[in-house]
Amino acid sequence: MRVIESDAGASHAVELKSVIEAQRFGLPVLVARDGEDRQRVFVLEPHDERLWVGRGPECDVRIEWDEKASRSHAELMRVPDGWAVVDDGLSRNGTFVGAERVAGRRRLQDGEVVRFGDTAVTYRLPRSFGASTVAADDVVTLPDLTPTQRKVLASLCRPLWNPAAPAVPASNPVIAAELVLSVEAIKSHMRTLFAKFGVEDLPQNQKRVRLAELAMQAGLVSHRDL
């Protein structure tokens, strides 16, 4: 297992890009925030089979900042097509997936949040790894996009998949040049996309990042599209 730690004060776009890069080779990750509110991404490598979670220095997924977590709090176990969390009563304050306390072994689903003490850890599967990221109940709520809108989204997200590019979504002029459209046409498409994804009321400097994040989480843009 390896850990990718964001710098203090890193933007949401930089943090999002670090998660995407960690998943680039089809590896599941755990995403948490430490005691200084920095993002930590724990990459679950192919050779990992059993990992300990806790405050102790011997733990693989170490959450040393959390006083409510036990030194050896719980265990992560590889299972077919994913991972499970195991808590057989070893931890003092328990392990929770959502609001449900774990008793024994609990298989994890993509996007579920596991709480060890006061630390919330999100389990993320790359779309190529197993089941779809989008729950069946959410599929019907995905926006109905035109082919051009899908191309605009792919162009918007492209820099976030490129390790050499800045960790910000593409600008309107960059998208326009790539798709051979006018900047005004791209602005119009972006306004429509903001509305379709429900981000039109966000501050201007947050709309593009949130739109890119939602598009990738929903599987509307993936590495193969880029």
Side-chain angles (χ1 to χ4, degrees):
M1 190 198 69
R2 57 191 171 95
V3 183
I4 302 172
E5 185 174 299
S6 297
D7 294 333
S11 70
H12 184 66
V14 171
E15 292 181 340
L16 174 60
K17 186 171 183 178
S18 70
V19 175
I20 293 170
E21 289 178 350
Q23 295 180 304
R24 187 179 300 278
F25 299 105
L27 300 177
V29 299
L30 303 169
V31 184
R33 305 198 78 83
D34 67 14
E36 298 181 8
D37 200 34
R38 293 175 300 188
Q39 178 179 269
R40 289 195 189 184
V41 181
F42 301 90
V43 185
L44 305 178
E45 305 274 12
H47 60 269
D48 294 327
E49 295 292 335
R50 302 174 78 96
L51 301 170
W52 281 100
V53 183
R55 285 190 299 109
E58 70 281 358
C59 288
D60 305 288
V61 180
R62 193 177 177 206
I63 50 177
E64 70 278 5
W65 61 85
D66 190 341
E67 294 183 356
K68 291 189 179 180
S70 300
R71 286 181 59 87
S72 296
H73 192 100
E75 188 178 13
L76 293 166
M77 176 187 301
R78 184 182 292 278
V79 294
D81 295 327
W83 284 79
V85 61
V86 182
D87 190 328
D88 291 318
L90 182 64
S91 63
R92 182 176 67 252
N93 292 316
T95 301
F96 293 79
V97 177
E100 179 185 349
R101 184 163 183 163
V102 176
R105 188 172 75 171
R106 167 71 149 73
R107 184 186 178 91
L108 296 176
Q109 302 297 324
D110 178 44
E112 286 190 317
V113 177
V114 188
R115 182 163 57 83
F116 307 99
D118 277 340
T119 300
V121 179
T122 303
Y123 173 69
R124 297 302 307 271
L125 276 173
R127 289 187 61 79
S128 61
F129 189 86
S132 171
T133 303
V134 182
D137 290 343
D138 294 333
V139 172
V140 295
T141 66
L142 292 177
D144 183 18
L145 303 179
T146 67
T148 300
Q149 288 167 355
R150 288 180 176 271
K151 290 178 182 178
V152 170
L153 279 179
S155 184
L156 176 77
C157 297
R158 195 179 311 282
L160 296 172
W161 289 87
N162 183 357
V168 293
S171 66
N172 289 339
V174 169
I175 298 172
E178 179 182 334
L179 302 183
V180 196
L181 294 171
S182 70
V183 173
E184 288 304 315
I186 298 302
K187 288 181 178 179
S188 177
H189 283 303
M190 292 299 297
R191 285 193 294 268
T192 300
L193 289 167
F194 290 152
K196 285 189 173 185
F197 282 82
V199 300
E200 68 269 35
D201 293 330
L202 290 178
Q204 194 63 35
N205 63 345
Q206 296 179 21
K207 289 181 182 180
R208 302 174 77 85
V209 171
R210 184 58 177 156
L211 176 60
E213 181 179 28
L214 290 173
M216 290 185 289
Q217 286 178 351
L220 296 171
V221 177
S222 66
H223 196 201
R224 63 178 176 271
D225 299 316
L226 307 175

